[in-house]
């Protein structure tokens, strides 16, 4: 007879959304359930761990809090995450539930897929993926209350794909979720919360639960016991990178080409040209770099559909050529010559 798998809940969301507050409330109201925590953070090492250690007493003892501080958990699965899970599962008295708080910049998809690794697949399952959203910030057009802090956190981890715009990461977190918690709704009026919920419902998978919350206060019975077995459902939870991979393999319907842009005198005019071209042509994605006259930094450009993001991601290195080039992915029939002519201005 097969042993019952230990459930694990993956909690993700940007810096400041309220993940730690949510977990602390969970531990204080766990009603005796033995919970182990795996906390992934970098930059300000130990902050979340020190907040959470001991707050659950016998429910979550200090030795049940494990910190992974070697970078974003989605990038260090084999080196850190799998060995940590094995140690928890091999205990004489293993936990009854495992809660994993990811870095706010972690892609949930690679982490959930790791539950299919042979070392742990037969012993643990993803009970649910929970994405915590800062409702106040999102209602005001931001992804986090302090987006500069998110940028600093992002820059601190060399393992991250810094070409990914933050909008894509947010969408990936939504798409992988079984439950989305709209936290900090006490800072919104009722109609603002309703509008935000309505907007999000157009972006999430069918069946994903959307739950308003204040100060991370959510009943443990609602948060745990979702029983989604998400590791067996990853074809419905694809990230942008995975969807782009499908595009690249479907040559009948899509085209991909790169365009060298030459010297760029003005950032704003370049961005305006890109937005105009995207609006007029069947461009699905556009990404690349630009060297702006007089700017010491490399301008990173990313567009998904009509959403465009650009920022200086790092200074140009002394040993590299300053150049400007974008890659365009579009529907079959896209007129490359026209697109190239308009982008070059």
């Amino acid at each position: 007879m097969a042993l019952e798998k230990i459930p694990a809940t993956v909690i993700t969301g940007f810096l400041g959304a309220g993940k730690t507050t949510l977990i602390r409330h969970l531990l204080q109201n766990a009603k005796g359930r033995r919970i182990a925590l795996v906390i992934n953070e970098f930059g300000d090492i130990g902050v979340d761990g020190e907040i959470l250690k001991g707050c659950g007493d016998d429910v979550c003892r200090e030795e049940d809090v494990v910190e992974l501080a070697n970078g974003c958990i989605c990038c260090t699965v084999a080196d850190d995450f799998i060995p940590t899970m094995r140690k928890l599962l091999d205990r004489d008295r293993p936990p009854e539930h495992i809660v994993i708080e990811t870095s706010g910049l972690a892609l949930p998809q690679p982490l959930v897929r790791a539950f299919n690794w042979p070392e742990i697949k037969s012993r643990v399952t993803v009970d649910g993926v929970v994405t915590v959203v800062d409702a106040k910030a999102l209602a005001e057009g931001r992804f986090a209350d302090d987006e500069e802090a998110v940028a600093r956190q992002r820059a601190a981890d060399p393992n991250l794909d810094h070409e990914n715009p933050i909008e894509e990461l947010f969408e990936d977190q939504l798409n992988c979720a079984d439950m989305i918690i709209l936290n900090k709704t006490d800072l919104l009026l009722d109609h603002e919360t309703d509008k935000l919920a309505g907007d999000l419902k157009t972006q999430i998978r069918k069946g994903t639960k959307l739950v308003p919350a204040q100060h991370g206060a959510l009943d443990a019975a609602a948060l745990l016991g979702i029983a989604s077995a998400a590791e067996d459902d990853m074809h419905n939870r694809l990230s942008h990178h995975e969807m782009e991979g499908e595009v690249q393999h479907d040559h009948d319907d899509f085209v991909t080409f790169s365009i060298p842009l030459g010297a760029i005198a003005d950032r704003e005019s370049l961005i305006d040209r890109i937005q105009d071209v995207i609006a007029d042509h069947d461009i699905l994605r556009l990404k690349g770099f630009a060297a702006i006259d007089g700017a010491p930094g490399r301008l990173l450009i990313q567009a998904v559909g009509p959403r465009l993001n650009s920022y200086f991601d790092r200074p140009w290195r002394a040993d590299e050529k300053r150049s400007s080039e974008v890659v365009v992915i579009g529907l079959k029939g896209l007129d490359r010559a026209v697109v190239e002519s308009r982008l070059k201005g």
Side-chain angles (χ1 to χ4, degrees):
M1 180 178 177
L3 294 175
E4 184 175 351
K5 294 183 179 182
I6 295 174
T9 297
V10 176
I11 298 179
T12 189
F14 287 144
L15 182 72
K19 300 188 300 295
T20 301
T21 304
L22 175 75
I23 294 172
R24 187 168 190 171
H25 183 273
L26 169 65
L27 297 180
Q28 292 171 339
N29 296 275
K31 300 178 181 177
R33 188 182 316 209
R34 297 194 316 278
I35 297 176
L37 296 180
V38 178
I39 302 172
N40 177 218
E41 58 184 27
F42 51 87
D44 294 329
I45 301 302
V47 174
D48 283 359
E50 290 305 315
I51 292 174
L52 290 169
K53 282 177 181 176
C55 71
D57 299 321
D58 291 336
V59 172
C60 181
R61 301 161 300 171
E62 185 167 336
E63 58 265 34
D64 292 326
V65 179
V66 181
E67 293 181 76
L68 302 181
N70 292 326
C72 176
I73 198 172
C74 69
C75 306
T76 58
V77 165
D79 294 335
D80 290 333
F81 177 66
I82 297 298
T84 294
M85 293 296 290
R86 288 178 61 184
K87 288 179 182 178
L88 288 174
L89 298 172
D90 288 343
R91 288 182 176 182
D92 293 335
R93 193 173 180 231
E96 295 174 321
H97 201 108
I98 300 171
V99 173
I100 303 164
E101 180 192 1
T102 75
S103 150
L105 301 176
L107 279 173
Q109 285 86 350
L111 175 60
V112 175
R113 280 198 172 83
F115 283 80
N116 286 310
W117 282 48
E119 294 95 321
I120 64 173
K121 181 174 177 57
S122 64
R123 305 171 67 187
V124 64
T125 182
V126 180
D127 180 65
V129 179
V130 177
T131 297
V132 185
V133 172
D134 186 330
K136 174 67 171 175
L138 196 60
E140 294 174 349
R142 305 187 311 278
F143 295 101
D145 184 57
D146 188 346
E147 288 191 334
E148 290 186 3
V150 172
R152 290 194 298 270
Q153 184 190 29
R154 190 178 194 180
D157 194 320
N159 293 311
L160 289 174
D161 179 0
H162 294 281
E163 296 182 18
N164 252 21
I166 199 169
E167 293 93 337
E168 283 192 12
L169 177 54
F170 180 71
E171 291 166 4
D172 289 344
Q173 291 179 351
L174 294 183
N175 193 48
C176 198
D178 297 289
M179 176 183 292
I180 296 168
I181 297 177
L182 290 178
N183 199 27
K184 307 183 184 181
T185 55
D186 52 306
L187 302 178
L188 297 178
L189 299 175
D190 288 345
H191 76 274
E192 292 175 315
T193 301
D194 292 342
K195 182 181 184 305
L196 181 60
D199 291 342
L200 283 175
K201 284 178 181 178
T202 67
Q203 304 177 48
I204 62 180
R205 294 181 300 110
K206 184 178 180 180
T208 302
K209 301 174 185 176
L210 203 59
V211 182
Q214 301 178 9
H215 309 291
L218 196 69
D219 193 323
L223 189 63
L224 308 182
I226 297 174
S228 73
E231 70 273 16
D232 297 327
D233 182 44
M234 292 310 297
H235 61 286
N236 288 319
R237 304 166 187 253
L238 297 178
S239 69
H240 276 77
H241 276 306
E242 292 158 339
M243 288 187 283
E244 180 180 324
E246 290 188 346
V247 168
Q248 292 171 342
H249 288 287
D250 193 351
H251 299 288
D252 292 334
D253 297 324
F254 301 94
V255 293
T256 301
F257 52 85
S258 60
I259 301 175
L261 298 178
I264 305 297
D266 179 69
R267 172 183 178 177
E268 285 70 26
S269 61
L270 172 64
I271 297 304
D272 288 343
R273 289 201 301 273
I274 291 173
Q275 289 177 324
D276 289 344
V277 170
I278 289 174
D280 293 342
H281 296 275
D282 291 325
I283 294 175
L284 303 176
R285 290 210 51 190
L286 183 148
K287 57 184 178 180
F289 303 100
I292 308 298
D293 290 350
R298 183 179 71 170
L299 183 70
L300 180 139
I301 304 164
Q302 288 269 13
V304 181
R307 299 184 304 278
L308 189 147
N309 181 269
S310 67
Y311 57 90
F312 292 100
D313 68 327
R314 65 167 174 80
W316 289 99
R317 296 192 299 267
D319 61 347
E320 68 180 332
K321 180 181 178 181
R322 292 169 58 99
S323 61
S324 303
E325 186 173 17
V326 294
V327 175
V328 177
I329 301 172
L331 295 175
K332 183 179 179 180
L334 180 65
D335 192 327
R336 174 174 179 169
V338 171
V339 170
E340 183 167 352
S341 175
R342 291 186 58 181
L343 286 178
K344 287 183 175 181

